[in-house]
Amino acid sequence: MTAVDEPGAYEIRIHGCLSVQEALGLKESVKRLLCPDPDHAPPCDVPWSCFAVGDDEQSDGIEATVLVLGVHASGRRAAQVADQVRGVVGETRPVTVSAAAAGQFEELAEQYRIERAVRQS
C-alpha cells in the first residue's frame, strides 16, 4: 500500500480449484458477492472485472486451476474484498491479493474515473 493508499489495480487470486468448471462455479458466487444488484446505479463500490482462469501449481506439485479477479480500489479495500471472497469460497482455497502488473485491468481504472466524475457532478 502507498502512504496515502491511493486507488489502483489489484489482483485477487483464488487458488486450489480442481477444474475449470469448479473455478467457473466459484466465479458466479464471487460475482453475486461483488454485485448483488447488477442493475444498480453507478458508481460501483469496487469496480471489478476480468475473471481469468489459469494453471496454478500447488505446493504438492499437483496442477490446479486459479481464478483471477481484478479490482480497482485502495490497498486496504482490496484486502477487505479478498477477505469477503475468502468467506464465499471457503477456507480450503487460499485467496491472495497483490498489486496488479502495470497496465493490467486498465478498463477498471477508466470505469473508476468515469463513475467518480458522474458522482461528483
Side-chain angles (χ1 to χ4, degrees):
M1 288 186 286
T2 63
V4 292
D5 206 15
E6 290 291 322
Y10 289 85
E11 187 177 272
I12 297 172
R13 292 179 158 255
I14 303 164
H15 301 269
C17 302
L18 298 178
S19 67
V20 171
Q21 291 75 19
E22 181 181 10
L24 294 176
L26 289 175
K27 173 183 170 181
E28 292 306 311
S29 298
V30 172
K31 279 175 58 175
R32 284 191 302 279
L33 167 74
L34 295 174
C35 191
D37 178 10
D39 297 323
H40 69 84
C44 287
D45 178 41
V46 176
W48 59 274
S49 184
C50 299
F51 282 97
V53 180
D55 292 332
D56 184 30
E57 188 171 318
Q58 300 183 117
S59 59
D60 57 9
I62 296 173
E63 290 262 332
T65 300
V66 62
L67 186 62
V68 181
L69 164 66
V71 298
H72 189 86
S74 67
R76 183 175 295 113
R77 183 68 178 115
Q80 290 170 343
V81 171
D83 286 341
Q84 292 173 309
V85 168
R86 281 184 195 95
V88 168
V89 303
E91 295 296 320
T92 60
R93 292 182 190 87
V95 175
T96 59
V97 61
S98 60
Q104 192 174 14
F105 307 121
E106 279 298 313
E107 73 283 0
L108 295 179
E110 184 65 16
Q111 177 185 351
Y112 179 85
R113 284 189 290 274
I114 290 169
E115 290 183 349
R116 293 305 178 259
V118 167
R119 176 188 268 176
Q120 293 173 356
S121 59

